[in-house]
Amino acid sequence: MDKRNAMRAGAVTAAATLMMVMSSPAMALTRDDGDDPGTGLSVGATLGLFVALPIVAFAVIAGLCMFPGSK
């Protein structure tokens, strides 16, 4: 019975992997009607938006959770 489950899991994994490989990410390069991309972000803006801002948000939330119990 255990071997059957392992074979089933392998088949599902292989099928999912095959579907991901067969999908074409190159279709993202073709523009759709009404597509109007903006200007790209600079390195500083990217780091600020995706690194610094989540760290600051985490620190603020953690601080708000810790301070009420610090009596």
Side-chain angles (χ1 to χ4, degrees):
M1 190 71 166
D2 192 31
K3 188 174 182 179
R4 181 185 292 174
N5 286 341
M7 291 292 288
R8 183 179 297 156
V12 169
T13 302
T17 303
L18 184 64
M19 284 191 292
M20 285 191 299
V21 169
M22 296 302 290
S23 65
S24 177
M27 294 302 290
L29 296 176
T30 59
R31 296 280 183 219
D32 290 331
D33 290 338
D35 189 16
D36 189 18
T39 59
L41 294 174
S42 67
V43 174
T46 302
L47 289 174
L49 187 61
F50 295 108
V51 176
L53 188 64
I55 290 172
V56 169
F58 176 80
V60 168
I61 293 170
L64 289 173
C65 291
M66 288 174 20
F67 285 134
S70 63
K71 283 186 174 182

